[in-house]
Amino acid sequence: MNEEDGQMLQVHDEKSTDLPSPVTSATTPRPKQKLSAAAIIPVWIILSSTVIIYNNYLYNSLEFRFPVFLVTWHLTFAAIGTRVLQRTTNLLDGARDVHISKDIFLRSILPIGLLFSASLILSNTAYLYLSVAYIQMLKAFVPVAILLISWTFRIQEPSKKLAMIVFMISSGVALASRGELHFNLIGFVTQAAAVAFEASRLVMIQILLHGLKMDPLVSLHYYAPVCAVINLAVLPFTEGLAPFYEVMRVGPLILVSNAAVAFLLNIAAVFLVGAGSGLVLTLAGVFKDILLITGSVLIFGAAITPLQVFGYSIALGGLVLYKTSGSK
């Protein structure tokens, strides 16, 4: 999985429900174990960037081009990992405060899990066609998709400020796409669909799970098994047995370490939630995205143009304005 998909979270300030965490409810509790922002943010940035770069290395350098299998493997690893942590640490003590009835599972967890699986599979598939740098630029469109869905279903009312944010991000992403040297329509459509599913999932979390207190690990504890089973059902019809034959060529150690890094990222997220203000975390996320795009250029030789830099800068400005805006 990649950042929003492999990492499976996007930390936000609990006081702002504009953009809820992808795997958490809108009321994420602060962790009992606290680390300073200076200590945890660099760890989070390194792990987040490593997950994406590692996945891209698997898909394109090692030619292990099986995103459904890799996502399923990550989720299986996470499902097992959270249960081990629950029995050996206090990191999942919050799970005791979350009561998932059969009704909540069928009406909330399962549909959100379906959207989550679709988002993970599609966003990982995009790496087969697009560069890491360009995908990061396209991900900036998620807040716009959230707002459009919210306006369409009248979950929130439009405003001039939000309209300006939509225009900034949309025009910025459009310029970044116009400047992409290796544009691929299949990859673009795949990533656009991933953004749509991700935005729908975030909106559903706000509506269906409002009031449930879940930190990233507790959420992963519940969602990982559901999504893993969904993906396992999809796997025979998409990639079949081919990835199982390729596992030995790539090496089990590579796959285990890849899943472990993604899981460590979710552990870091627990501490990151309480590490600083919304502005600090937003700026850390922006810095991470810039670092990741730079790393994509240096490590994989991805080409970016001045027009893309200009467009993405506009989109990031809109993204920061959106996440730090106190008004809906």
Side-chain angles (χ1 to χ4, degrees):
M1 291 170 282
N2 55 36
E3 174 199 327
E4 275 79 35
D5 26 354
Q7 160 192 359
M8 290 188 277
L9 89 137
Q10 182 178 6
V11 176
H12 70 296
D13 182 15
E14 68 173 344
K15 296 178 182 177
S16 171
T17 57
D18 281 349
L19 187 62
S21 168
V23 294
T24 62
S25 67
T27 52
T28 304
R30 299 287 187 184
K32 295 178 182 178
Q33 307 87 353
K34 287 190 177 182
L35 294 176
S36 68
I40 192 59
I41 287 178
V43 174
W44 174 75
I45 289 175
I46 291 171
L47 287 172
S48 180
S49 301
T50 300
V51 167
I52 296 177
I53 291 173
Y54 204 163
N55 286 349
N56 190 66
Y57 172 73
L58 259 173
Y59 291 138
N60 296 304
S61 298
L62 295 183
E63 296 186 350
F64 187 79
R65 302 173 73 81
F66 304 105
V68 178
F69 176 88
L70 190 64
V71 168
T72 306
W73 163 235
H74 278 205
L75 290 166
T76 302
F77 189 97
I80 296 171
T82 52
R83 278 147 184 81
V84 171
L85 288 180
Q86 187 180 34
R87 287 165 174 76
T88 58
T89 72
N90 59 1
L91 288 174
L92 276 104
D93 285 354
R96 287 189 288 228
D97 301 323
V98 179
H99 304 288
I100 305 295
S101 64
K102 182 180 179 181
D103 184 58
I104 292 177
F105 177 83
L106 293 176
R107 291 197 308 169
S108 302
I109 302 297
L110 185 58
I112 290 172
L114 285 167
L115 292 173
F116 194 19
S117 286
S119 172
L120 291 176
I121 291 172
L122 290 169
S123 59
N124 274 265
T125 301
Y127 282 83
L128 304 182
Y129 304 97
L130 304 174
S131 69
V132 169
Y134 184 42
I135 288 175
Q136 292 306 117
M137 295 177 189
L138 292 178
K139 284 180 181 178
F141 197 76
V142 170
V144 172
I146 292 174
L147 287 174
L148 293 178
I149 293 171
S150 298
W151 292 346
T152 300
F153 293 96
R154 298 188 177 181
I155 298 169
Q156 70 180 83
E157 294 299 318
S159 67
K160 290 183 179 179
K161 185 172 186 179
L162 289 177
M164 182 183 69
I165 291 172
V166 167
F167 176 76
M168 286 180 65
I169 296 177
S170 300
S171 58
V173 172
L175 287 173
S177 297
R178 180 67 180 86
E180 172 62 23
L181 295 176
H182 303 290
F183 182 84
N184 182 287
L185 183 59
I186 295 176
F188 176 81
V189 171
T190 300
Q191 182 58 40
V195 166
F197 278 110
E198 179 67 4
S200 299
R201 184 174 70 89
L202 292 171
V203 172
M204 284 191 71
I205 284 175
Q206 271 193 320
I207 297 171
L208 299 178
L209 295 182
H210 185 72
L212 280 182
K213 295 181 178 181
M214 294 185 183
D215 65 34
L217 271 182
V218 172
S219 298
L220 192 60
H221 176 76
Y222 287 106
Y223 282 112
V226 175
C227 295
V229 170
I230 293 171
N231 287 7
L232 277 173
V234 172
L235 187 60
F237 303 100
T238 54
E239 297 169 356
L241 296 175
F244 296 93
Y245 297 131
E246 289 289 299
V247 166
M248 295 311 297
R249 178 183 67 82
V250 172
L253 183 61
I254 292 289
L255 293 176
V256 170
S257 61
N258 178 252
V261 173
F263 187 63
L264 286 173
L265 183 56
N266 284 281
I267 296 176
V270 175
F271 297 96
L272 184 64
V273 167
S277 67
L279 179 59
V280 170
L281 299 183
T282 296
L283 293 177
V286 169
F287 177 72
K288 183 264 302 174
D289 288 339
I290 294 172
L291 193 65
L292 192 53
I293 290 174
T294 303
S296 173
V297 173
L298 296 177
I299 297 173
F300 298 109
I304 59 174
T305 62
L307 183 60
Q308 284 185 295
V309 174
F310 177 66
Y312 190 53
S313 298
I314 295 174
L316 284 181
L319 188 65
V320 172
L321 186 61
Y322 173 69
K323 287 189 177 183
T324 57
S325 175
S327 61
K328 294 270 182 188

